[in-house]
Amino acid sequence: MIHFVLLISRQGKVRLTKWYSPYPQKERTKVIRELSGLILTRGPKLCNFVEWRGFKVVYRRYASLYFCMCINQDDNELEILEIIHHYVEILDRYFGSVCELDLIFNFHKAYYILDELLIAGELQESSKKTVARHIAAQDSLVETAKEQASSLSNIIAEATK
Amino acid sequence: MGSQGGFGQSKEFLDLIKSIGEARSKAEEDRIVLHEIETLKRRITEPDIPKRKMKEYIIRLVYVEMLGHDASFGYIHAVKMTHDDNIHLKRTGYLAVTLFLNEDHDLIILIVNTIQKDLKSDNYLVVCAALNVVCKLINEETIPAVLPQVVELLGHQKEAVRKKAVMALHRFYQRAPSSVNHLISNFRKKLCDNDPGVMGATLCPLYDLITIDVNAYKDLVASFASILKQVAERRLPKSYDYHQMPAPFIQIKLLKILALLGSGDKKASEQMYTIIGDIMRKCDSTSNIGNAVLYECICCISSIHPNPKLLESAADAIAKFLKSDSHNLKYLGIDALGRLIKLSPEIAEQHQLAVIDCLEDPDDTLKRKTFELLYKMTKSSNVEVIVDRMIDYMININDSHYKTEIASRCVELAEQFAPSNQWFIQTMNRVFEHAGDLVNPKVAHNLMRLIAEGFGEEDDTADSQLRSSAVESYLRIVVEPKLPSTFLQVICWVLGEYGTADGKYSASYITGKLCDVAEAYSTDDTVKAYAISALMKIYSFEIAAGRKVDVLPECQSFIEELLASHSTDLQQRAYELQAILGLDANVATNIMPMDASCEDIEIDRSLSFLNSYVQQSIEKGAQPYIPEGERSGMTDVSSFRSQELHEVSSHALRFEAYELPKPVMPSRVSPIEQSSSNELVPAPEPSYHAEMHQVASSVPSVSDTGSLELKLKLDGVQRKWGRPTYSSAAPSTSNADIPKIQNGAPQLDAVSSSSSKAVSYDSRRQQVEISAEKQKLAASLFGGTSKSHKRQSSGSQKVPKTNIPAAEKSHVAKNATSDTAVLERTPQPPPDLLDLDESTVSSSAQSLDPFKQLEGLLDLNQDTSTLTTSDASASGAPDVMSLYGETTLNVQSGGVPNLLPAGRDEANLLSGLAGTPNRDGHGENTVTNPTQQLNKGPNAKESLEKDALVRQLGVTPTGQNPNLFRDLLG
């Protein structure tokens, strides 16, 4: 099971956090600080895994962004590494050659996508297409909802004129 | 496919993100965020906020919370937003509450109603959003509220809903198994769902269920095996392929399940052999995901009933992992080796040098994994080397979590395999010295017992030698600063018992040392207690031997200090010591017999000798004794500082509510308890040790230091002197553990001789190019295994050794000549090819002209002549992705297999992105200077647009982080 997902920039800035196990806010800050100290200092050729407090943290660097996932001792590290990559590929598809800035300004969208990929700390969908389709459906629904809302407000505006 | 026209937020929010992005320090960032919180607090409470605005506030709250600040003032607004009918807002509300609230938050109760409504919605997207929240927020209390609906949704027509419903049920099962126990059969049913996504999701709960009770699912072995077979044969839709592997995530999950089901079950295992073998053969070992599946196969093979053929292929796979350049694969190789070693111990021998390389690798993760492997393969022949290495490593790390683990492992190994007691004591000393506060106190008791009991045989001289060497080593160590408390306790105890035993050191020398210890660690009462007990022993031994005792001035002042101590325990010990100093030799021998710690003590736990007295008292009208567990307001009094605690607990605040006055009992308990124990003191005690009375009567003040103190001595005086802790010492003096320690002793001779043989034998057959030091290490680590083969002819021994390089060579040759095409086709499959047939893959691999690709990208004309770009545009995939693909191919053909993005250096990433011409047909891994690109970002048109957009917003890419624009997948 995945306990949390962290996106940290090379400067140690938090870009996204998702906690699947309960961690109080204070603990979260501590965890992030501890892990960024541990991970950001690691050399490029070393393992993508770190043992930490009896868990394992799998991380992978994309440009200047680190994607980290914390898992149990008996989980398959390489699989998690590929789940991270899977997520990045989906992001890439969604944003069109995704860059860190996309995630900074659209972190809520990154959350929605993550929610389609992982649920309760488990991989729920391994098909990229399915995830993409689902997100697209949500987006189009949101669009129509927006249109409706605006037409509604137009009608109201017309009526109250 | 960039669906975003702009970033869609207000200027204000963008400014916030921008300013945080440009903050130069954490303090500055915090200041900005705190200011933002103030603003939000003010704004969010204004009346009649337009919903759109509110949505943005909520997202800003999420942002603030993400950065580690408290946004709890806005939680209620997020909850309110979930009630909205507009899905747009509802979704935002749901996202915010899942991020804000933990499962035990009070506000959840306000959402349950909305969730219930949304689970019934006609719009499946609303249902999905609600199920996401269910997974995160529904707790044990609220499960019944949504359970019927979630179960109903298992049959929903949309597969996305079914899938999430399965996951929600799984979550319920994790939270409160009892609430969904009657629904478990649903998971079995969903395994046959015709959507592979739902089937894949169902594997998660089934894995959990099977972990708990294997036997209930044995009937599914055949089904799982056949599903796995179908997956491996690519029967699932192509969209489940990942980097050209058929549904690897599902394969891994299934392999995990099979591993559980086949564990220790020959019949079940036989059903899986074929398919596991097939998968191992099909696995593409050049891609990460292929290796992930391969690794899972090895785990499965090592868990199920062993099959020689599979073990062999697992060993081959491990060999490949260990020989790889990638640290990740080495790590997995070491881990897999650790799993397989239980089944075939000889496999480690083939890889001894690889293991030693990993042990000396600068990568900490790898090192630790290797220690884990060593831990698993420790035996009496190599324990010395392994434990030595472990301790060396332990000394150099700061991570207390891991330090504790490795220290306890050292202790465990040393206790189990110690070749000699001498070595055991030395090892323990080192462990204690460096990690004394982290190891279990029981270990200290074991060590003391070992020193006291020695070999346990008749060999008294060896025992006393052992003791004197322990004393000597402790006298040496004790002068070092900052020793851990546990270790000092051991030192004090040993010095007290045996410091003067061999006559080498005078009493005044030892007592001086003990006083130094007590003085240096004057804040540690436990150490002081050990020290004064040790003094007491030494003085009484002196008296018993008829020598004149002269108390050193520093000892005198130490005793005086303790006489006035706040701790009654220390005080009593000091008074007792004073009393002993005034006794004659005869009495002293009786109170403090030599070597009393080895005497067996029979403990009358029920204190049956007091029965008649209790009976009498009850007849006289005393209250019967109430066992501790039934009393309220009392803490555990059995610990070391029992008197203090006792006092505290009877006067301390009570946190429980007062009970109704009727039962009365609890309020009277403590006075009764005290009075009854007071009564115990003058009672006509049964004949256990008259000495105690002498002490008590000669120093009248002792008796009033606390009745409890005296009561505790019911076990017998010897025990107290022998082991100056009151707590759990009683059970630990039993004989249970003794044979374990003695085990090490007889092995000594056999082991040392055999290991020396092994060393010489090994060193003969090592290859020349390996440094002598490594060889030696390898020999001492793995020598134990080779000794079992010793009787065989040396020719047969050499077979595995020579075979492997040969095989390797042929493998390499094959790669060099024929397989380059394969190499290019199979590595980390490029994402842009996902929608294409495999045939295009090979064609794209042929023409690698970066210039043309660059052109194709820049003008975004779909009709470029290069095969690759037309492929990419035909598939409609983002153009940069195709370049990404090319990059991987190039790098791969350059002979660097299994590269990870993190492993590549930045320059490569960048040059791949921008299509820099440095990449030629040979696939040479040339490093370009990244700076020339930094200010521009990727050349793709989309990125340029993005760049322009953010420039309008005022974000300059040249600021703090020039990489912001860099394509993540580059």
Side-chain angles (χ1 to χ4, degrees):
Chain A
M1 166 179 180
I2 298 166
H3 295 282
F4 54 80
V5 178
L6 288 184
L7 266 65
I8 317 172
S9 81
R10 236 184 108 188
Q11 286 77 25
K13 294 214 158 102
V14 181
R15 298 302 184 203
L16 190 131
T17 57
K18 179 90 185 175
W19 309 83
Y20 294 105
S21 298
Y23 286 85
Q25 184 74 345
K26 247 195 197 145
E27 188 64 18
R28 292 178 182 186
T29 322
K30 218 174 123 203
V31 167
I32 292 170
R33 202 179 326 119
E34 222 172 279
L35 280 181
S36 41
L38 207 62
I39 289 171
L40 300 182
T41 51
R42 281 174 70 83
K45 283 264 163 75
L46 306 182
C47 287
N48 291 56
F49 326 125
V50 189
E51 282 176 28
W52 171 79
R53 295 198 197 169
F55 295 106
K56 286 187 295 201
V57 178
V58 178
Y59 70 92
R60 190 158 177 173
R61 182 178 163 181
Y62 292 90
S64 60
L65 199 58
Y66 285 82
F67 288 67
C68 317
M69 290 188 182
C70 173
I71 51 169
N72 287 333
Q73 273 296 340
D74 53 352
D75 284 330
N76 183 337
E77 296 92 341
L78 223 47
E79 182 198 4
I80 302 296
L81 208 56
E82 289 310 290
I83 290 179
I84 293 177
H85 193 69
H86 188 46
Y87 179 45
V88 176
E89 280 183 6
I90 293 170
L91 287 174
D92 195 84
R93 225 183 224 217
Y94 182 77
F95 287 106
S97 48
V98 63
C99 66
E100 195 178 335
L101 215 62
D102 287 318
L103 301 184
I104 296 175
F105 287 107
N106 291 303
F107 59 90
H108 55 295
K109 298 225 160 78
Y111 274 124
Y112 290 135
I113 295 172
L114 191 61
D115 277 346
E116 291 308 317
L117 188 68
L118 300 177
I119 198 165
E122 305 275 3
L123 183 72
Q124 62 161 321
E125 183 55 70
S126 59
S127 158
K128 229 173 294 180
K129 235 183 194 165
T130 313
V131 174
R133 206 173 53 222
H134 205 72
I135 293 285
Q138 284 179 6
D139 278 352
S140 67
L141 192 72
V142 167
E143 286 303 316
T144 48
K146 261 190 204 163
E147 272 166 30
Q148 274 172 0
S150 63
S151 66
L152 205 68
S153 57
N154 279 347
I155 293 168
I156 295 169
E158 291 280 315
T160 51
K161 223 189 272 176
Chain B
M1 289 207 186
S3 54
Q4 271 21 75
F7 291 109
Q9 280 98 9
S10 77
K11 177 87 170 62
E12 211 179 21
F13 185 31
L14 292 177
D15 282 345
L16 168 74
I17 291 177
K18 198 187 112 197
S19 57
I20 285 180
E22 284 167 1
R24 290 185 184 278
S25 66
K26 183 79 186 139
E28 193 182 338
E29 185 187 305
D30 286 347
R31 213 164 42 241
I32 297 168
V33 174
L34 287 176
H35 181 252
E36 169 73 6
I37 288 176
E38 284 309 309
T39 321
L40 283 174
K41 258 187 196 163
R42 216 171 42 242
R43 295 273 185 82
I44 215 160
T45 47
E46 282 169 12
D48 299 331
I49 308 170
K51 283 180 173 168
R52 237 186 105 79
K53 202 90 195 142
M54 194 62 182
K55 178 185 156 243
E56 193 193 293
Y57 291 154
I58 300 286
I59 289 183
R60 280 157 79 169
L61 283 174
V62 171
Y63 190 67
V64 165
E65 181 108 348
M66 190 174 86
L67 293 178
H69 293 263
D70 178 44
S72 53
F73 63 90
Y75 289 179
I76 186 69
H77 299 279
V79 172
K80 267 194 220 155
M81 188 156 270
T82 62
H83 304 333
D84 202 287
D85 286 332
N86 184 339
I87 175 152
H88 187 43
L89 300 172
K90 188 184 275 296
R91 201 162 73 128
T92 312
Y94 273 150
L95 176 69
V97 290
T98 53
L99 293 170
F100 288 154
L101 307 183
N102 264 334
E103 61 184 66
D104 50 357
H105 203 281
D106 296 336
L107 289 175
I108 287 174
I109 207 76
L110 297 177
I111 311 173
V112 172
N113 194 23
T114 319
I115 292 177
Q116 279 180 327
K117 208 176 76 209
D118 286 344
L119 287 177
K120 287 189 201 130
S121 165
D122 295 336
N123 187 338
Y124 80 98
L125 291 170
V126 175
V127 180
C128 282
L131 280 172
N132 274 346
V133 182
V134 165
C135 285
K136 169 77 184 172
L137 293 183
I138 293 297
N139 50 29
E140 201 175 341
E141 265 169 57
T142 41
I143 285 175
V146 294
L147 188 60
Q149 280 157 353
V150 172
V151 174
E152 210 173 290
L153 290 175
L154 286 174
H156 197 274
Q157 52 169 350
K158 277 284 181 188
E159 66 280 349
V161 176
R162 294 201 299 271
K163 186 176 65 194
K164 283 182 200 276
V166 167
M167 296 309 269
L169 268 191
H170 178 211
R171 194 63 169 176
F172 293 165
Y173 180 76
Q174 286 175 334
R175 293 255 160 82
S178 54
S179 67
V180 287
N181 262 342
H182 57 293
L183 297 167
I184 279 171
S185 61
N186 280 307
F187 292 133
R188 281 165 174 266
K189 272 187 233 149
K190 282 291 126 191
L191 193 61
C192 313
D193 196 286
N194 50 20
D195 182 73
V198 181
M199 185 272 291
T202 314
L203 297 176
C204 300
L206 281 174
Y207 176 75
D208 275 12
L209 289 168
I210 294 171
T211 317
I212 293 162
D213 180 16
V214 181
N215 290 325
Y217 295 88
K218 290 281 187 195
D219 57 314
L220 287 179
V221 174
S223 323
F224 285 126
S226 96
I227 295 174
L228 185 56
K229 189 158 179 280
Q230 292 174 39
V231 173
E233 285 170 355
R234 299 182 179 271
R235 300 270 191 83
L236 291 191
K238 223 158 168 35
S239 68
Y240 282 87
D241 283 12
Y242 178 82
H243 292 192
Q244 279 149 23
M245 283 284 289
F249 298 110
I250 294 178
Q251 283 192 39
I252 289 174
K253 207 84 214 179
L254 282 165
L255 283 167
K256 276 188 177 159
I257 290 177
L258 288 181
L260 290 177
L261 287 170
S263 170
D265 184 342
K266 191 163 178 238
K267 220 176 115 231
S269 302
E270 273 163 0
Q271 293 175 275
M272 337 173 168
Y273 289 152
T274 337
I275 179 65
I276 296 173
D278 279 355
I279 291 178
M280 285 205 78
R281 231 169 299 122
K282 278 184 195 162
C283 263
D284 155 25
S285 62
T286 51
S287 73
N288 253 327
I289 191 68
N291 285 321
V293 176
L294 208 54
Y295 167 74
E296 204 58 58
C297 284
I298 300 173
C299 295
C300 185
I301 290 168
S302 64
S303 157
I304 61 178
H305 187 85
N307 169 291
K309 228 172 117 198
L310 286 181
L311 282 177
E312 202 178 299
S313 51
D316 287 348
I318 289 175
K320 249 186 245 165
F321 282 162
L322 287 174
K323 282 188 190 115
S324 154
D325 284 333
S326 152
H327 272 66
N328 287 345
L329 293 185
K330 276 190 191 162
Y331 176 90
L332 290 185
I334 295 282
D335 184 86
L337 202 56
R339 287 169 192 269
L340 220 57
I341 216 163
K342 281 175 276 169
L343 299 174
S344 46
E346 69 282 351
I347 177 181
E349 208 180 329
Q350 302 166 17
H351 302 298
Q352 39 185 298
L353 293 172
V355 170
I356 287 164
D357 277 341
C358 289
L359 192 63
E360 280 162 7
D361 198 276
D363 188 348
D364 235 27
T365 312
L366 195 53
K367 215 178 229 174
R368 289 182 187 187
K369 199 79 208 174
T370 315
F371 275 123
E372 207 179 305
L373 170 69
L374 292 183
Y375 167 73
K376 282 181 191 156
M377 51 180 264
T378 308
K379 44 191 168 271
S380 39
S381 61
N382 56 15
V383 65
E384 289 172 72
V385 193
I386 290 179
V387 171
D388 225 42
R389 285 250 158 187
M390 281 185 169
I391 295 176
D392 282 343
Y393 180 67
M394 184 187 79
I395 292 171
N396 291 321
I397 54 173
N398 298 320
D399 173 0
S400 68
H401 183 93
Y402 190 66
K403 210 168 184 168
T404 316
E405 196 183 307
I406 200 166
S408 61
R409 281 188 169 173
C410 286
V411 171
E412 191 187 319
L413 291 179
E415 282 184 349
Q416 214 174 336
F417 298 110
S420 70
N421 285 354
Q422 190 95 21
W423 178 85
F424 180 74
I425 288 174
Q426 275 168 8
T427 309
M428 286 296 122
N429 287 353
R430 286 185 72 196
V431 174
F432 275 116
E433 206 175 322
H434 298 287
D437 292 328
L438 301 171
V439 294
N440 191 333
K442 239 177 106 181
V443 176
H445 293 288
N446 279 345
L447 179 59
M448 289 189 264
R449 187 183 317 130
L450 180 91
I451 295 173
E453 281 159 2
F455 289 81
E457 309 296 327
E458 278 83 69
D459 193 0
D460 277 344
T461 44
D463 283 4
S464 54
Q465 262 173 19
L466 175 76
R467 288 166 188 165
S468 10
S469 73
V471 168
E472 217 159 298
S473 68
Y474 289 150
L475 284 174
R476 216 168 33 240
I477 291 168
V478 83
V479 289
E480 282 174 29
K482 282 202 185 153
L483 292 170
S485 172
T486 331
F487 192 35
L488 286 166
Q489 291 164 26
V490 176
I491 292 178
C492 288
W493 186 83
V494 171
L495 290 183
E497 283 283 322
Y498 307 111
T500 53
D502 60 354
K504 202 168 159 193
Y505 299 102
S506 71
S508 61
Y509 179 72
I510 302 281
T511 51
K513 286 280 182 199
L514 286 168
C515 285
D516 290 346
V517 170
E519 201 184 330
Y521 302 88
S522 58
T523 50
D524 191 336
D525 275 1
T526 321
V527 170
K528 279 202 277 192
Y530 270 85
I532 187 124
S533 296
L535 285 180
M536 187 154 31
K537 280 180 236 172
I538 289 172
Y539 287 136
S540 61
F541 294 156
E542 287 296 295
I543 295 169
R547 283 189 286 268
K548 195 183 163 289
V549 177
D550 42 18
V551 182
L552 293 174
E554 66 243 48
C555 294
Q556 194 60 53
S557 64
F558 174 53
I559 296 167
E560 270 157 22
E561 180 205 323
L562 291 194
L563 284 173
S565 169
H566 285 299
S567 158
T568 43
D569 174 52
L570 292 180
Q571 215 178 38
Q572 183 182 359
R573 283 166 199 261
Y575 275 111
E576 283 170 3
L577 173 55
Q578 263 197 346
I580 284 174
L581 287 175
L583 297 176
D584 64 37
N586 196 17
V587 181
T589 348
N590 274 327
I591 308 174
M592 292 281 187
M594 275 296 271
D595 232 0
S597 63
C598 289
E599 276 164 35
D600 289 337
I601 299 151
E602 283 190 21
I603 297 153
D604 186 356
R605 282 180 168 279
S606 60
L607 308 181
S608 55
F609 52 86
L610 286 174
N611 280 350
S612 61
Y613 172 75
V614 172
Q615 199 58 41
Q616 264 178 22
S617 308
I618 289 178
E619 274 165 18
K620 278 183 205 156
Q623 290 276 348
Y625 173 73
I626 302 163
E628 217 175 324
E630 292 163 29
R631 271 173 263 161
S632 61
M634 294 286 289
T635 36
D636 181 33
V637 283
S638 63
S639 68
F640 172 64
R641 292 185 189 85
S642 49
Q643 319 82 334
E644 287 176 356
L645 272 177
H646 181 82
E647 234 113 273
V648 167
S649 62
S650 50
H651 298 303
L653 280 174
R654 288 171 42 121
F655 288 100
E656 308 95 67
Y658 284 101
E659 288 150 64
L660 292 172
K662 199 104 195 253
V664 192
M665 299 291 268
S667 56
R668 266 199 236 157
V669 163
S670 48
I672 287 163
E673 216 271 332
Q674 274 181 342
S675 67
S676 66
S677 59
N678 277 336
E679 279 165 17
L680 272 174
V681 183
E685 281 172 347
S687 60
Y688 70 104
H689 55 256
E691 318 90 59
M692 203 53 242
H693 274 294
Q694 283 177 328
V695 175
S697 55
S698 62
V699 186
S701 53
V702 173
S703 57
D704 55 37
T705 49
S707 51
L708 249 176
E709 193 59 44
L710 285 173
K711 201 176 94 185
L712 277 165
K713 286 190 195 110
L714 292 176
D715 290 337
V717 178
Q718 288 98 332
R719 185 180 141 237
K720 182 174 181 272
W721 307 147
R723 211 170 294 278
T725 41
Y726 296 109
S727 57
S728 56
S732 70
T733 39
S734 70
N735 281 336
D737 282 348
I738 296 168
K740 202 167 113 198
I741 295 166
Q742 290 165 352
N743 269 348
Q747 283 171 7
L748 168 64
D749 293 2
V751 164
S752 59
S753 61
S754 68
S755 70
S756 65
K757 268 183 228 161
V759 168
S760 60
Y761 177 70
D762 257 14
S763 51
R764 235 191 306 139
R765 61 191 186 89
Q766 293 288 337
Q767 285 125 324
V768 222
E769 69 267 18
I770 297 140
S771 74
E773 201 182 322
K774 263 188 201 169
Q775 280 182 27
K776 222 172 115 195
L777 182 58
S780 47
L781 280 180
F782 297 90
T785 23
S786 60
K787 120 194 142 193
S788 57
H789 299 274
K790 256 203 97 194
R791 297 267 169 247
Q792 297 166 10
S793 74
S794 62
S796 73
Q797 261 298 317
K798 273 178 187 157
V799 172
K801 270 276 144 193
T802 45
N803 260 353
I804 285 161
E808 198 185 11
K809 245 179 236 160
S810 70
H811 181 71
V812 169
K814 221 168 66 186
N815 271 353
T817 54
S818 61
D819 265 15
T820 37
V822 180
L823 250 182
E824 282 173 352
R825 201 181 310 146
T826 40
Q828 284 200 331
D832 62 326
L833 300 172
L834 282 179
D835 297 333
L836 300 172
D837 293 339
E838 276 157 79
S839 56
T840 49
V841 182
S842 50
S843 67
S844 69
Q846 289 160 12
S847 72
L848 296 168
D849 188 344
F851 283 114
K852 285 198 177 150
Q853 289 160 18
L854 187 58
E855 284 163 22
L857 269 180
L858 283 176
D859 61 12
L860 278 180
N861 189 342
Q862 308 288 322
D863 302 322
T864 41
S865 52
T866 17
L867 261 172
T868 41
T869 35
S870 62
D871 279 349
S873 50
S875 74
D879 294 348
V880 179
M881 292 292 272
S882 70
L883 253 188
Y884 160 69
E886 299 304 333
T887 329
T888 9
L889 289 177
N890 264 334
V891 174
Q892 292 290 351
S893 58
V896 191
N898 303 316
L899 271 177
L900 293 167
R904 289 180 218 143
D905 52 318
E906 286 180 47
N908 279 349
L909 277 177
L910 200 70
S911 56
L913 254 178
T916 2
N918 295 29
R919 211 159 271 289
D920 54 19
H922 306 302
E924 261 178 25
N925 210 351
T926 356
V927 178
T928 48
N929 183 4
T931 47
Q932 63 188 33
Q933 296 291 341
L934 283 183
N935 296 342
K936 283 189 185 167
N939 285 345
K941 198 181 161 202
E942 258 168 17
S943 304
L944 283 173
E945 279 172 1
K946 257 181 222 165
D947 185 90
L949 180 65
V950 286
R951 271 174 196 281
Q952 275 178 355
L953 295 168
V955 182
T956 40
T958 42
Q960 277 261 294
N961 184 0
N963 296 323
L964 284 180
F965 293 92
R966 179 129 18 112
D967 193 338
L968 290 181
L969 261 184

